[in-house]
Amino acid sequence: MQKREDGLTPMPVLMIIDAMSERIGGLPQLRFSRAVSCFHGGTVEYYCPASDSRLEVECLAVVEKNPAFVARLRGEFERVSQEFLDSLPRIEGKGCRELALLYRDYCLRYREACDLGEPFVFMIKESLERRLLQLLKGKGVLNPVGLLQALSSPMEPSFIARQEAGLLRIAVEFGGGWPANPAALRALELHAQEFSWVEFDYGVRLLSAEDFGARLGELLARVPDAAGELRRLGERERNAREAVAAAEREAGLDGFEKALFKASRDAAFIMDLKKERFTKSHVWFRALCAALGRTAGVDAKLVAYALPGEWEELAAMTLEFKAELEARSRGSVFESVAGVTRLLPEAEAQRVLEEFPKAAVSREVRGKCACDGSAVGRVRVITGAHGVGEMRDGEVLVSIMTTPGFVPAMRKAAAIVTDEGGVTCHAAIVSRELGIPCIVGTGNATRALKTGRVVEVNADEGRVTVLEGGGVDGVC
């Protein structure tokens, strides 16, 4: 079972599951035999049969047979995802039927692009990580986890790092007097045009020039030497290449082993690029849903509960179809088999969900070190990017996973702990860029830890300890 909370609606995320039920990484022999997606209260839970766990092994076997497969997938995804973005037309001035056709076409193009992006690398991220860690341990290196991080992290800066570099350039050029400088304000407007989407993900918010102005003020307070920090970011790719070469020498890797680690870096790059390009497409999609909502006389959020094949119903928007979308928004279950997704009737949905038992919650919180270090702080459980405003400086961020919308909370965190992910996931990459202790892949942190408890996060050991007497109002 996988779970996410972000105010999600079925479209377009259901297209990822739909694609994975037909093929993974463009390989029709690799696919979910069946997948069930349950949407309720802005939360989505995914279920698939236990037998489909074989896909991790089968996807890893593809990489071990030909590590260059991931590099080929990366090249194809870079091309197809850019073509997808370039194909998104202007929305203004179109009628309801034209908008409904755009809705259908967007979902189908999204499905095509995502097949080359997330599914395959998602399936290999943990199994490949375990394989590589085992490889390093077998070579007797002193710090296998540290070498794994160095060898598996993408050399290219993430879009989060590129956005911060843009703010640093403004800080270097205009300094502390930027609020009174019209040229600096114009620079912030251009920065917002380029990066307004970075925290949007599936629809949290777009950032304005004023938002980036506030971030610039925080940056100048946090980083006394903006020019030095900008140089450091500029040298990151070169330093990363040198770190990889040094780690390869230290571990004594042969050509095939180097290729396996490159596959891991390419997989991490694909995940970051997928976030960037799909998030940009989500901004367009929300605008499309808003336009459809206005022309059809319904709430824009309801629009995204329609399946692509229901575009004609969207265009007509009868009272009956509107009522159907409203019912889906209160709770809906979809089943994807062989690339075909259907809405399950209520009785069948209940029966299907009973086939997937809920996992028991362990009191022990352990995971994998994504960025070393330790910290003590009060827990702040945030299960969706809509809750980042609750985060306070010095708290321990606990989440199912992180997305670009979590970055403001991540910057405030003393440490980060997630249920999901490996050393190349979003939380791992960003925590290393920020230098914040991070544990990923605990499986149960959001259920075992409560907001307000004081915990010690020992990322080196992958362990979270609740400190006695450290809760709020006597709760510990």
Side-chain angles (χ1 to χ4, degrees), residues 129 133 143-146 149 365-376 396-397 414-418 423 427-428 431-432 435-442 455-465:
E129 179 184 311
L133 184 59
N143 181 14
V145 173
Q149 292 172 0
V365 178
R366 287 184 176 272
K368 291 164 284 193
C369 175
C371 184
D372 56 9
S374 61
V376 174
V396 173
L397 172 61
I416 299 166
V417 182
T418 68
V423 297
S431 67
R432 289 196 289 271
I436 296 172
C438 179
I439 298 173
V440 297
T442 64
V455 298
E456 179 184 23
V457 177
N458 186 330
D460 297 340
E461 298 180 4
R463 174 171 46 82
V464 181
T465 303

Side-chain angles (χ1 to χ4, degrees), residues 246-266:
E248 288 175 342
R249 289 192 298 271
E250 181 179 345
L253 301 181
D254 61 27
F256 176 74
E257 291 164 344
K258 290 177 182 178
L260 282 178
F261 279 103
K262 183 180 184 303
S264 180
R265 293 193 296 275
D266 284 333

Side-chain angles (χ1 to χ4, degrees), residues 59-78:
C59 289
L60 180 61
V62 171
V63 178
E64 291 194 302
K65 182 178 181 181
N66 178 20
F69 175 81
V70 185
R72 181 176 66 79
L73 201 63
R74 168 178 169 165
E76 291 181 7
F77 179 66
E78 288 184 270

